[in-house]
mmCIF file of all heavy atoms in Angstrom:
data_model
loop_
_atom_site.group_PDB
_atom_site.id
_atom_site.type_symbol
_atom_site.label_atom_id
_atom_site.label_comp_id
_atom_site.label_asym_id
_atom_site.label_seq_id
_atom_site.Cartn_x
_atom_site.Cartn_y
_atom_site.Cartn_z
ATOM 1 N N GLU A 1 83.203 99.562 75.333
ATOM 2 C CA GLU A 1 82.269 99.588 74.212
ATOM 3 C C GLU A 1 80.942 98.949 74.595
ATOM 4 O O GLU A 1 79.873 99.439 74.210
ATOM 5 C CB GLU A 1 82.868 98.855 73.005
ATOM 6 C CG GLU A 1 83.906 99.656 72.249
ATOM 7 C CD GLU A 1 84.537 98.877 71.111
ATOM 8 O OE1 GLU A 1 84.482 97.623 71.159
ATOM 9 O OE2 GLU A 1 85.094 99.504 70.195
ATOM 10 N N ALA A 2 81.010 97.866 75.359
ATOM 11 C CA ALA A 2 79.783 97.194 75.803
ATOM 12 C C ALA A 2 78.959 98.111 76.702
ATOM 13 O O ALA A 2 77.726 98.165 76.605
ATOM 14 C CB ALA A 2 80.131 95.899 76.537
ATOM 15 N N VAL A 3 79.642 98.852 77.573
ATOM 16 C CA VAL A 3 78.937 99.789 78.454
ATOM 17 C C VAL A 3 78.321 100.909 77.628
ATOM 18 O O VAL A 3 77.152 101.276 77.813
ATOM 19 C CB VAL A 3 79.896 100.377 79.504
ATOM 20 C CG1 VAL A 3 79.149 101.383 80.387
ATOM 21 C CG2 VAL A 3 80.495 99.281 80.368
ATOM 22 N N ALA A 4 79.099 101.457 76.703
ATOM 23 C CA ALA A 4 78.611 102.582 75.887
ATOM 24 C C ALA A 4 77.399 102.190 75.059
ATOM 25 O O ALA A 4 76.468 102.990 74.885
ATOM 26 C CB ALA A 4 79.739 103.080 74.984
ATOM 27 N N ARG A 5 77.390 100.959 74.555
ATOM 28 C CA ARG A 5 76.230 100.501 73.781
ATOM 29 C C ARG A 5 74.986 100.379 74.649
ATOM 30 O O ARG A 5 73.864 100.571 74.170
ATOM 31 C CB ARG A 5 76.532 99.144 73.129
ATOM 32 C CG ARG A 5 77.459 99.214 71.920
ATOM 33 C CD ARG A 5 77.413 97.909 71.140
ATOM 34 N NE ARG A 5 77.822 96.770 71.954
ATOM 35 C CZ ARG A 5 79.077 96.345 72.052
ATOM 36 N NH1 ARG A 5 80.048 96.967 71.385
ATOM 37 N NH2 ARG A 5 79.377 95.298 72.795
ATOM 38 N N ALA A 6 75.185 100.068 75.908
ATOM 39 C CA ALA A 6 74.049 99.826 76.806
ATOM 40 C C ALA A 6 73.491 101.101 77.432
ATOM 41 O O ALA A 6 72.418 101.077 78.038
ATOM 42 C CB ALA A 6 74.459 98.855 77.916
ATOM 43 N N VAL A 7 74.230 102.211 77.288
ATOM 44 C CA VAL A 7 73.806 103.473 77.912
ATOM 45 C C VAL A 7 73.584 104.507 76.819
ATOM 46 O O VAL A 7 74.538 105.157 76.358
ATOM 47 C CB VAL A 7 74.850 103.973 78.917
ATOM 48 C CG1 VAL A 7 74.341 105.239 79.613
ATOM 49 C CG2 VAL A 7 75.174 102.901 79.947
ATOM 50 N N PRO A 8 72.363 104.714 76.376
ATOM 51 C CA PRO A 8 72.089 105.680 75.305
ATOM 52 C C PRO A 8 72.214 107.125 75.774
ATOM 53 O O PRO A 8 72.228 107.408 76.975
ATOM 54 C CB PRO A 8 70.642 105.354 74.911
ATOM 55 C CG PRO A 8 70.043 104.766 76.148
ATOM 56 C CD PRO A 8 71.142 104.001 76.806
ATOM 57 N N ALA A 9 72.315 108.019 74.821
ATOM 58 C CA ALA A 9 72.398 109.450 75.130
ATOM 59 C C ALA A 9 71.193 109.880 75.953
ATOM 60 O O ALA A 9 70.068 109.437 75.725
ATOM 61 C CB ALA A 9 72.466 110.258 73.837
ATOM 62 N N GLY A 10 71.453 110.722 76.929
ATOM 63 C CA GLY A 10 70.381 111.198 77.788
ATOM 64 C C GLY A 10 70.319 110.487 79.118
ATOM 65 O O GLY A 10 69.749 111.007 80.079
ATOM 66 N N GLN A 11 70.900 109.294 79.189
ATOM 67 C CA GLN A 11 70.900 108.575 80.458
ATOM 68 C C GLN A 11 72.052 109.059 81.333
ATOM 69 O O GLN A 11 73.047 109.603 80.846
ATOM 70 C CB GLN A 11 70.989 107.063 80.225
ATOM 71 C CG GLN A 11 69.701 106.472 79.688
ATOM 72 C CD GLN A 11 69.648 104.968 79.872
ATOM 73 O OE1 GLN A 11 70.541 104.348 80.427
ATOM 74 N NE2 GLN A 11 68.567 104.368 79.383
ATOM 75 N N PHE A 12 71.930 108.802 82.620
ATOM 76 C CA PHE A 12 72.835 109.370 83.619
ATOM 77 C C PHE A 12 74.302 109.034 83.354
ATOM 78 O O PHE A 12 75.172 109.897 83.472
ATOM 79 C CB PHE A 12 72.434 108.890 85.015
ATOM 80 C CG PHE A 12 73.275 109.452 86.117
ATOM 81 C CD1 PHE A 12 73.127 110.777 86.512
ATOM 82 C CD2 PHE A 12 74.239 108.684 86.747
ATOM 83 C CE1 PHE A 12 73.908 111.316 87.526
ATOM 84 C CE2 PHE A 12 75.022 109.211 87.761
ATOM 85 C CZ PHE A 12 74.860 110.519 88.148
ATOM 86 N N PHE A 13 74.606 107.791 83.002
ATOM 87 C CA PHE A 13 75.995 107.367 82.863
ATOM 88 C C PHE A 13 76.542 107.542 81.444
ATOM 89 O O PHE A 13 77.660 107.099 81.161
ATOM 90 C CB PHE A 13 76.139 105.896 83.279
ATOM 91 C CG PHE A 13 76.005 105.671 84.765
ATOM 92 C CD1 PHE A 13 74.859 105.103 85.284
ATOM 93 C CD2 PHE A 13 77.027 106.038 85.628
ATOM 94 C CE1 PHE A 13 74.725 104.898 86.643
ATOM 95 C CE2 PHE A 13 76.906 105.839 86.994
ATOM 96 C CZ PHE A 13 75.754 105.265 87.510
ATOM 97 N N PHE A 14 75.772 108.158 80.559
ATOM 98 C CA PHE A 14 76.203 108.258 79.163
ATOM 99 C C PHE A 14 77.555 108.956 79.021
ATOM 100 O O PHE A 14 78.473 108.455 78.353
ATOM 101 C CB PHE A 14 75.152 109.004 78.335
ATOM 102 C CG PHE A 14 75.591 109.302 76.935
ATOM 103 C CD1 PHE A 14 75.549 108.313 75.956
ATOM 104 C CD2 PHE A 14 76.061 110.565 76.587
ATOM 105 C CE1 PHE A 14 75.974 108.587 74.660
ATOM 106 C CE2 PHE A 14 76.490 110.835 75.288
ATOM 107 C CZ PHE A 14 76.444 109.844 74.330
ATOM 108 N N GLU A 15 77.693 110.122 79.626
ATOM 109 C CA GLU A 15 78.926 110.894 79.470
ATOM 110 C C GLU A 15 80.134 110.124 79.987
ATOM 111 O O GLU A 15 81.169 110.023 79.313
ATOM 112 C CB GLU A 15 78.807 112.237 80.177
ATOM 113 C CG GLU A 15 80.020 113.136 79.984
ATOM 114 C CD GLU A 15 79.829 114.514 80.601
ATOM 115 O OE1 GLU A 15 78.685 114.848 80.993
ATOM 116 O OE2 GLU A 15 80.817 115.255 80.693
ATOM 117 N N ASP A 16 80.019 109.569 81.182
ATOM 118 C CA ASP A 16 81.139 108.816 81.750
ATOM 119 C C ASP A 16 81.484 107.604 80.895
ATOM 120 O O ASP A 16 82.663 107.284 80.704
ATOM 121 C CB ASP A 16 80.808 108.361 83.170
ATOM 122 C CG ASP A 16 80.845 109.503 84.170
ATOM 123 O OD1 ASP A 16 81.529 110.515 83.891
ATOM 124 O OD2 ASP A 16 80.205 109.401 85.222
ATOM 125 N N ALA A 17 80.470 106.923 80.388
ATOM 126 C CA ALA A 17 80.717 105.743 79.559
ATOM 127 C C ALA A 17 81.472 106.111 78.300
ATOM 128 O O ALA A 17 82.420 105.415 77.886
ATOM 129 C CB ALA A 17 79.394 105.061 79.213
ATOM 130 N N GLN A 18 81.096 107.214 77.673
ATOM 131 C CA GLN A 18 81.757 107.653 76.455
ATOM 132 C C GLN A 18 83.191 108.125 76.735
ATOM 133 O O GLN A 18 84.118 107.835 75.964
ATOM 134 C CB GLN A 18 80.951 108.775 75.794
ATOM 135 C CG GLN A 18 79.583 108.365 75.291
ATOM 136 C CD GLN A 18 79.645 107.345 74.168
ATOM 137 O OE1 GLN A 18 80.540 107.388 73.325
ATOM 138 N NE2 GLN A 18 78.695 106.416 74.147
ATOM 139 N N LEU A 19 83.378 108.819 77.840
ATOM 140 C CA LEU A 19 84.718 109.310 78.170
ATOM 141 C C LEU A 19 85.653 108.160 78.526
ATOM 142 O O LEU A 19 86.849 108.184 78.184
ATOM 143 C CB LEU A 19 84.639 110.326 79.313
ATOM 144 C CG LEU A 19 83.948 111.650 78.970
ATOM 145 C CD1 LEU A 19 83.897 112.560 80.194
ATOM 146 C CD2 LEU A 19 84.660 112.351 77.815
ATOM 147 N N ASP A 20 85.132 107.163 79.222
ATOM 148 C CA ASP A 20 85.941 105.968 79.507
ATOM 149 C C ASP A 20 86.388 105.315 78.202
ATOM 150 O O ASP A 20 87.559 104.937 78.046
ATOM 151 C CB ASP A 20 85.141 104.962 80.331
ATOM 152 C CG ASP A 20 84.968 105.376 81.780
ATOM 153 O OD1 ASP A 20 85.728 106.239 82.256
ATOM 154 O OD2 ASP A 20 84.056 104.835 82.434
ATOM 155 N N LEU A 21 85.446 105.174 77.281
ATOM 156 C CA LEU A 21 85.752 104.547 76.002
ATOM 157 C C LEU A 21 86.777 105.366 75.218
ATOM 158 O O LEU A 21 87.755 104.805 74.689
ATOM 159 C CB LEU A 21 84.472 104.391 75.175
ATOM 160 C CG LEU A 21 84.632 103.857 73.754
ATOM 161 C CD1 LEU A 21 85.335 102.500 73.748
ATOM 162 C CD2 LEU A 21 83.274 103.772 73.059
ATOM 163 N N ALA A 22 86.587 106.678 75.148
ATOM 164 C CA ALA A 22 87.517 107.526 74.405
ATOM 165 C C ALA A 22 88.923 107.453 74.991
ATOM 166 O O ALA A 22 89.917 107.372 74.255
ATOM 167 C CB ALA A 22 87.014 108.971 74.417
ATOM 168 N N ARG A 23 89.009 107.481 76.311
ATOM 169 C CA ARG A 23 90.322 107.409 76.968
ATOM 170 C C ARG A 23 91.037 106.093 76.620
ATOM 171 O O ARG A 23 92.226 106.081 76.274
ATOM 172 C CB ARG A 23 90.142 107.520 78.481
ATOM 173 C CG ARG A 23 91.450 107.525 79.257
ATOM 174 C CD ARG A 23 91.214 107.606 80.755
ATOM 175 N NE ARG A 23 90.502 106.423 81.263
ATOM 176 C CZ ARG A 23 89.229 106.445 81.669
ATOM 177 N NH1 ARG A 23 88.526 107.563 81.627
ATOM 178 N NH2 ARG A 23 88.657 105.343 82.123
ATOM 179 N N ALA A 24 90.295 104.992 76.685
ATOM 180 C CA ALA A 24 90.882 103.689 76.371
ATOM 181 C C ALA A 24 91.258 103.591 74.897
ATOM 182 O O ALA A 24 92.285 102.999 74.548
ATOM 183 C CB ALA A 24 89.899 102.573 76.752
ATOM 184 N N GLN A 25 90.439 104.153 74.032
ATOM 185 C CA GLN A 25 90.760 104.146 72.603
ATOM 186 C C GLN A 25 92.066 104.882 72.334
ATOM 187 O O GLN A 25 92.905 104.431 71.543
ATOM 188 C CB GLN A 25 89.610 104.759 71.805
ATOM 189 C CG GLN A 25 88.373 103.886 71.731
ATOM 190 C CD GLN A 25 87.171 104.602 71.153
ATOM 191 O OE1 GLN A 25 87.007 105.806 71.339
ATOM 192 N NE2 GLN A 25 86.310 103.867 70.459
ATOM 193 N N ALA A 26 92.240 106.027 72.993
ATOM 194 C CA ALA A 26 93.480 106.789 72.824
ATOM 195 C C ALA A 26 94.673 105.986 73.334
ATOM 196 O O ALA A 26 95.729 105.927 72.675
ATOM 197 C CB ALA A 26 93.371 108.118 73.563
ATOM 198 N N LEU A 27 94.518 105.354 74.497
ATOM 199 C CA LEU A 27 95.605 104.559 75.070
ATOM 200 C C LEU A 27 95.913 103.330 74.227
ATOM 201 O O LEU A 27 97.054 102.847 74.201
ATOM 202 C CB LEU A 27 95.238 104.136 76.495
ATOM 203 C CG LEU A 27 95.198 105.265 77.534
ATOM 204 C CD1 LEU A 27 94.572 104.772 78.831
ATOM 205 C CD2 LEU A 27 96.608 105.797 77.790
ATOM 206 N N ALA A 28 94.899 102.814 73.534
ATOM 207 C CA ALA A 28 95.073 101.641 72.687
ATOM 208 C C ALA A 28 95.642 101.977 71.319
ATOM 209 O O ALA A 28 95.789 101.099 70.467
ATOM 210 C CB ALA A 28 93.742 100.909 72.523
ATOM 211 N N GLY A 29 95.968 103.256 71.105
ATOM 212 C CA GLY A 29 96.535 103.660 69.828
ATOM 213 C C GLY A 29 95.507 103.815 68.729
ATOM 214 O O GLY A 29 95.798 103.575 67.552
ATOM 215 N N LYS A 30 94.298 104.240 69.118
ATOM 216 C CA LYS A 30 93.231 104.456 68.146
ATOM 217 C C LYS A 30 92.754 105.906 68.227
ATOM 218 O O LYS A 30 91.635 106.194 68.659
ATOM 219 C CB LYS A 30 92.062 103.507 68.416
ATOM 220 C CG LYS A 30 92.430 102.034 68.285
ATOM 221 C CD LYS A 30 91.225 101.143 68.543
ATOM 222 C CE LYS A 30 91.563 99.677 68.332
ATOM 223 N NZ LYS A 30 90.392 98.786 68.531
ATOM 224 N N PRO A 31 93.595 106.856 67.825
ATOM 225 C CA PRO A 31 93.253 108.275 67.986
ATOM 226 C C PRO A 31 92.025 108.713 67.194
ATOM 227 O O PRO A 31 91.246 109.549 67.671
ATOM 228 C CB PRO A 31 94.514 108.998 67.500
ATOM 229 C CG PRO A 31 95.193 108.016 66.588
ATOM 230 C CD PRO A 31 94.915 106.679 67.185
ATOM 231 N N THR A 32 91.857 108.150 65.995
ATOM 232 C CA THR A 32 90.694 108.549 65.190
ATOM 233 C C THR A 32 89.393 108.167 65.882
ATOM 234 O O THR A 32 88.448 108.976 65.962
ATOM 235 C CB THR A 32 90.758 107.878 63.801
ATOM 236 O OG1 THR A 32 91.978 108.246 63.151
ATOM 237 C CG2 THR A 32 89.566 108.305 62.951
ATOM 238 N N GLU A 33 89.348 106.938 66.414
ATOM 239 C CA GLU A 33 88.156 106.485 67.129
ATOM 240 C C GLU A 33 87.951 107.297 68.407
ATOM 241 O O GLU A 33 86.818 107.639 68.765
ATOM 242 C CB GLU A 33 88.274 105.002 67.472
ATOM 243 C CG GLU A 33 88.192 104.069 66.278
ATOM 244 C CD GLU A 33 89.557 103.818 65.634
ATOM 245 O OE1 GLU A 33 90.479 104.659 65.829
ATOM 246 O OE2 GLU A 33 89.688 102.799 64.935
ATOM 247 N N ALA A 34 89.050 107.619 69.082
ATOM 248 C CA ALA A 34 88.953 108.397 70.322
ATOM 249 C C ALA A 34 88.385 109.784 70.042
ATOM 250 O O ALA A 34 87.509 110.271 70.772
ATOM 251 C CB ALA A 34 90.318 108.498 70.988
ATOM 252 N N VAL A 35 88.871 110.428 68.996
ATOM 253 C CA VAL A 35 88.369 111.760 68.638
ATOM 254 C C VAL A 35 86.877 111.701 68.323
ATOM 255 O O VAL A 35 86.095 112.559 68.763
ATOM 256 C CB VAL A 35 89.149 112.328 67.428
ATOM 257 C CG1 VAL A 35 88.436 113.558 66.861
ATOM 258 C CG2 VAL A 35 90.564 112.690 67.836
ATOM 259 N N ALA A 36 86.460 110.675 67.581
ATOM 260 C CA ALA A 36 85.043 110.544 67.232
ATOM 261 C C ALA A 36 84.184 110.369 68.484
ATOM 262 O O ALA A 36 83.083 110.923 68.583
ATOM 263 C CB ALA A 36 84.850 109.358 66.293
ATOM 264 N N THR A 37 84.701 109.608 69.461
ATOM 265 C CA THR A 37 83.946 109.394 70.701
ATOM 266 C C THR A 37 83.866 110.681 71.511
ATOM 267 O O THR A 37 82.801 111.031 72.051
ATOM 268 C CB THR A 37 84.598 108.276 71.534
ATOM 269 O OG1 THR A 37 84.682 107.082 70.741
ATOM 270 C CG2 THR A 37 83.762 107.978 72.771
ATOM 271 N N TYR A 38 84.984 111.408 71.603
ATOM 272 C CA TYR A 38 84.973 112.687 72.321
ATOM 273 C C TYR A 38 84.003 113.667 71.648
ATOM 274 O O TYR A 38 83.254 114.386 72.331
ATOM 275 C CB TYR A 38 86.377 113.294 72.351
ATOM 276 C CG TYR A 38 87.291 112.707 73.399
ATOM 277 C CD1 TYR A 38 88.578 112.277 73.064
ATOM 278 C CD2 TYR A 38 86.891 112.616 74.730
ATOM 279 C CE1 TYR A 38 89.435 111.751 74.024
ATOM 280 C CE2 TYR A 38 87.734 112.093 75.702
ATOM 281 C CZ TYR A 38 89.004 111.658 75.335
ATOM 282 O OH TYR A 38 89.841 111.143 76.295
ATOM 283 N N GLU A 39 84.019 113.701 70.332
ATOM 284 C CA GLU A 39 83.127 114.616 69.614
ATOM 285 C C GLU A 39 81.659 114.239 69.820
ATOM 286 O O GLU A 39 80.787 115.125 69.843
ATOM 287 C CB GLU A 39 83.479 114.612 68.129
ATOM 288 C CG GLU A 39 84.799 115.320 67.831
ATOM 289 C CD GLU A 39 85.183 115.267 66.360
ATOM 290 O OE1 GLU A 39 84.644 114.396 65.644
ATOM 291 O OE2 GLU A 39 86.020 116.097 65.942
ATOM 292 N N ARG A 40 81.401 112.956 70.011
ATOM 293 C CA ARG A 40 80.021 112.549 70.274
ATOM 294 C C ARG A 40 79.551 113.102 71.620
ATOM 295 O O ARG A 40 78.390 113.505 71.763
ATOM 296 C CB ARG A 40 79.900 111.021 70.276
ATOM 297 C CG ARG A 40 78.457 110.572 70.467
ATOM 298 C CD ARG A 40 78.298 109.073 70.533
ATOM 299 N NE ARG A 40 76.886 108.761 70.723
ATOM 300 C CZ ARG A 40 76.429 107.550 71.010
ATOM 301 N NH1 ARG A 40 77.254 106.524 71.117
ATOM 302 N NH2 ARG A 40 75.132 107.361 71.176
ATOM 303 N N VAL A 41 80.450 113.125 72.591
ATOM 304 C CA VAL A 41 80.087 113.688 73.903
ATOM 305 C C VAL A 41 79.730 115.163 73.748
ATOM 306 O O VAL A 41 78.710 115.633 74.286
ATOM 307 C CB VAL A 41 81.234 113.514 74.916
ATOM 308 C CG1 VAL A 41 80.875 114.187 76.246
ATOM 309 C CG2 VAL A 41 81.531 112.035 75.146
#
């Protein structure tokens, strides 16, 4: 989450940062948050 906040849309690492976050959210048992993050990508 800290990485995702620091990398806004349009920057080089944005996609990877969001996908890392979504993957961890899913693994942490937060499917709703994970879906929202994937949809943002």
Side-chain angles (χ1 to χ4, degrees):
E1 283 177 338
V3 178
R5 285 195 300 270
V7 184
Q11 287 198 2
F12 182 74
F13 288 106
F14 173 79
E15 184 175 349
D16 286 337
Q18 295 295 324
L19 292 178
D20 286 342
L21 175 57
R23 183 181 64 252
Q25 288 170 327
L27 291 169
K30 298 181 177 182
T32 302
E33 290 88 338
V35 167
T37 304
Y38 280 130
E39 288 178 341
R40 183 182 180 190
V41 176

